Amino acid sequence: MAELPLLSVILGVCLAILYGLGLFSKTSNPRRLPLPPGPKPEFLIGHAKYLLSGSLWLQYAAWRERFGDIIHLKVPGIHLIALNSYKVAHDLLDLSHKYADRHSFVMVDELMGWEHTTTGHVYGDAWKSHRKLLRPTMSKSAIEKHALSFEKGMRACLLQLLHTPEGFEQHLRLLTGRIIVMFTYGLKIDSSKDQLIVEPETQIARVVDLVLPNQTPLVDIFPFLKYIPSWFPGAAFKRNAKVWKKELADMVAHPFNRVKADMAAGIAVPSLTSKCLEDNPQSENEIMWSAGSMYLAGADTTYAILSTFFLAMATHPEVQKRAQAEIDSVLKAGALPTLADRANLPYIGCLLKELQRWRPVVPLAVPHRLMEDDYYGGYFLPKGSIIFPNAWAISQDEANYKDPTRFWPERFEDPETAELDSYKYAFGWGRRICPGMNLADATIFITVASILATFDIGKPRDKDGNEVEPEASYGPGLVSGPEGFRCTIRPRSSDKVRLIKTGAEELPW
Ligand code: HEM
């Protein structure tokens, strides 16, 4: 703010006033229904102060008793609508195509180029062609064809956990990165310093800051600022955005061009990219950007749920023991789990669902945008509204779950009485549902099953050797996972140590 010229700020405030008075509002409401309820807005800024309050999903969930399942907020020129129940979110987002759009954020999408990614694309032909390319290549059966590379990556991770258990967070990050890059491009990653990891991680770190509510770039509040020339005093954001846009384009082009070169040389390892290029040679640009979106959308999310797994195991030894007993009863002596064991491990299946429910990784999903005026439950929902389906509120709703704060995989066990399946909302909604769901599920399964087969996860110890409760906080970002907690990770027996070491050193990772 300090670096902006005074004139721009004055202009911005004037515009905000006009927006606030609704002079620019183009929505009609022939049925004259009210907007959904919400807290009292403040003069000029509407509900802007709430957007600065961090973990918005907690705020929306807390308002539920007062305002119900649909809550309306407004900041100058924009309606924001939170959906607090499964039924409402399902009725609107799953059953109607009107909600399949994305709001285009000026800084991140327009100026920095994220509008070309699958996640950032507005609804339209280009986005549809991304989804069409991803559908066959990310189906369950397509993922299963890559089972061996998942299992190899996992073995490398087990060995790292054995040698340096205190570095478990880095090991999990490397594992998720390796699996995504191998699956997407058929390229191997040697270490977390590999450019194929460093480049997308740099992009993610940059955007994570810009999408935090209290970091909203000024140009998103006053969009006309995007027209100031880059050389203008105070326009550093435009100069930065130009550099970052080029870096993003390079990040998606580098691995894509390597795959093309490998294909030309006849040495490409089969991957999502090579398959798409073989089947749709005319769609190079769409293939490049949809493949480039995989790491950006899939790495942090998968990592977050895996860290929640470590936290849940450290704090719920009874669940860990039961899961280990199931694995031991199914695996042959001296074997590690494979993707093919999934069907014989129903309790692990329940554990995976409970991980997604207990701490949803994307608590407010990725916001959708309503493309046409709509009416629901006696309310008017204006075109252009940004829609926040509140996965957190759904996961903690006593109408869906008995004792929702408890970590209890058994709630999904009996098909007759099973509670709401968390996979119905943890991966998003309708046409925008996460295309990486099967890949994520396979990665999480192989990691959870392999780690439980070989290690015990426990509470951390203080300097006198006494167990202490792990302290984990969940951040306010778009993707939410436990941060900065410790736990103990010990091999279950000397046989397991031998199993982890057998052959692992020779793996080509
Ligand atoms: C635990 C793991 C994951 C969770 C919980 C998760 C969750 C989500 C959610 C909630 C959305 C937004 C859906 C919506 O707008 O309604 C999404 C979108 C997306 N996810 Fe995932 N995801 C995970 C892993 C992955 C992986 C592994 C990939 C790919 C490698 C991936 C790729 C994508 C893409 C490309 C989108 C954008 C879809 C679009 O806008 O059309 N995700 N994911």
Side-chain angles (χ1 to χ4, degrees):
M1 166 83 106
E3 60 174 12
L4 275 166
L6 187 61
L7 182 63
S8 303
V9 176
I10 294 169
L11 271 171
V13 172
C14 294
L15 264 186
I17 293 170
L18 292 174
Y19 272 127
L21 293 173
L23 295 184
F24 285 2
S25 173
K26 289 199 187 76
T27 53
S28 61
N29 177 9
R31 293 197 214 163
R32 299 264 168 257
L33 289 179
L35 289 163
K40 205 165 174 296
E42 288 178 66
F43 182 57
L44 294 183
I45 59 165
H47 297 99
K49 76 167 185 200
Y50 296 114
L51 302 189
L52 305 180
S53 70
S55 307
L56 259 179
W57 51 92
L58 298 178
Q59 176 69 81
Y60 284 134
W63 278 330
R64 189 165 183 214
E65 262 181 39
R66 256 170 85 197
F67 303 119
D69 289 343
I70 314 182
I71 294 173
H72 173 260
L73 303 184
K74 191 168 182 195
V75 292
I78 303 180
H79 296 276
L80 309 170
I81 295 177
L83 309 177
N84 268 336
S85 82
Y86 176 74
K87 178 172 169 29
V88 174
H90 172 70
D91 283 356
L92 297 178
L93 274 57
D94 283 341
L95 302 183
S96 162
H97 82 282
K98 290 183 196 173
Y99 292 82
D101 200 9
R102 293 264 191 246
H103 178 77
S104 186
F105 292 93
V106 182
M107 182 68 185
V108 171
D109 290 314
E110 281 185 47
L111 299 181
M112 290 168 60
W114 282 66
E115 61 192 354
H116 302 294
T117 64
T118 311
T119 320
H121 247 304
V122 293
Y123 184 80
D125 288 344
W127 170 76
K128 283 185 199 162
S129 94
H130 278 216
R131 298 294 306 220
K132 209 168 150 196
L133 288 163
L134 294 175
R135 210 168 296 128
T137 40
M138 303 207 77
S139 68
K140 209 160 173 276
S141 55
I143 303 291
E144 280 162 4
K145 291 193 187 129
H146 295 260
L148 198 60
S149 77
F150 287 54
E151 289 151 21
K152 279 184 184 171
M154 192 61 235
R155 295 198 67 150
C157 179
L158 292 178
L159 197 63
Q160 288 177 318
L161 286 171
L162 185 67
H163 292 323
T164 47
E166 66 288 353
F168 75 99
E169 286 159 316
Q170 291 94 298
H171 305 331
L172 293 177
R173 276 200 180 276
L174 182 57
L175 172 70
T176 50
R178 273 179 165 161
I179 290 181
I180 294 174
V181 171
M182 175 51 91
F183 173 80
T184 310
Y185 300 110
L187 298 173
K188 280 181 192 140
I189 300 283
D190 290 326
S191 77
S192 49
K193 296 200 173 64
D194 194 305
Q195 280 308 300
L196 293 170
I197 298 263
V198 173
E199 286 192 351
E201 286 292 345
T202 309
Q203 299 301 322
I204 294 169
R206 190 169 286 147
V207 158
V208 159
D209 280 348
L210 292 171
V211 298
L212 280 178
N214 55 0
Q215 303 283 337
T216 304
L218 213 55
V219 67
D220 272 294
I221 303 173
F222 305 121
F224 74 96
L225 291 176
K226 70 182 169 190
Y227 298 112
I228 6 177
S230 301
W231 50 263
F232 205 71
F237 71 96
K238 276 199 79 172
R239 295 189 288 277
N240 288 337
K242 198 170 165 195
V243 176
W244 296 341
K245 188 174 187 171
K246 162 94 174 55
E247 282 180 19
L248 179 69
D250 288 346
M251 181 229 99
V252 298
H254 287 158
F256 180 77
N257 290 335
R258 277 177 63 180
V259 177
K260 272 179 52 180
D262 284 355
M263 285 173 79
I267 54 165
V269 174
S271 66
L272 177 147
T273 306
S274 68
K275 175 91 177 98
C276 287
L277 280 168
E278 276 160 17
D279 296 349
N280 312 272
Q282 74 292 353
S283 308
E284 280 208 8
N285 196 48
E286 283 87 357
I287 296 170
M288 181 174 76
W289 278 98
S290 49
S293 306
M294 295 293 100
Y295 194 107
L296 300 176
D300 265 16
T301 40
T302 310
Y303 165 73
I305 203 82
L306 292 179
S307 343
T308 288
F309 160 68
F310 273 77
L311 178 64
M313 292 303 98
T315 48
H316 297 82
E318 71 295 348
V319 173
Q320 181 171 191
K321 285 215 157 48
R322 199 176 155 197
Q324 287 174 326
E326 185 183 67
I327 292 172
D328 294 348
S329 72
V330 166
L331 285 190
K332 291 201 191 81
L336 281 169
T338 67
L339 284 188
D341 293 316
R342 174 83 196 248
N344 301 319
L345 295 169
Y347 188 70
I348 300 294
C350 298
L351 172 54
L352 264 47
K353 287 184 185 178
E354 184 65 341
L355 288 171
Q356 299 282 2
R357 184 205 68 83
W358 192 52
R359 297 285 184 269
V361 167
V362 200
L364 279 183
V366 180
H368 291 219
R369 178 182 173 276
L370 175 55
M371 290 184 276
E372 294 164 31
D373 287 345
D374 202 5
Y375 297 93
Y376 183 88
Y379 297 120
F380 171 55
L381 311 180
K383 171 181 172 178
S385 298
I386 305 184
I387 310 288
F388 296 92
N390 192 349
W392 168 258
I394 295 169
S395 76
Q396 300 302 310
D397 187 345
E398 289 185 359
N400 302 326
Y401 302 108
K402 229 178 290 154
D403 199 358
T405 55
R406 180 175 173 203
F407 185 81
W408 188 50
E410 283 77 359
R411 64 177 79 248
F412 298 110
E413 205 165 13
D414 180 350
E416 300 278 301
T417 56
E419 299 181 341
L420 175 66
D421 185 343
S422 53
Y423 278 41
K424 287 190 173 167
Y425 56 85
F427 289 93
W429 306 89
R431 297 188 187 194
R432 285 281 179 174
I433 196 166
C434 174
M437 187 169 165
N438 294 318
L439 176 60
D441 186 53
T443 308
I444 300 162
F445 169 77
I446 201 70
T447 311
V448 164
S450 306
I451 287 173
L452 289 174
T454 46
F455 289 98
D456 285 321
I457 300 169
K459 291 184 183 170
R461 295 187 181 261
D462 63 17
K463 57 181 177 5
D464 301 320
N466 302 316
E467 278 191 345
V468 289
E469 281 305 312
E471 281 176 27
S473 61
Y474 279 74
L478 185 73
V479 174
S480 179
E483 287 161 11
F485 73 98
R486 291 185 306 119
C487 58
T488 58
I489 301 165
R490 298 202 174 95
R492 288 175 62 192
S493 66
S494 49
D495 279 354
K496 301 291 183 186
V497 173
R498 266 192 299 282
L499 174 61
I500 294 169
K501 287 184 172 169
T502 311
E505 264 97 358
E506 290 96 61
L507 285 172
W509 281 96

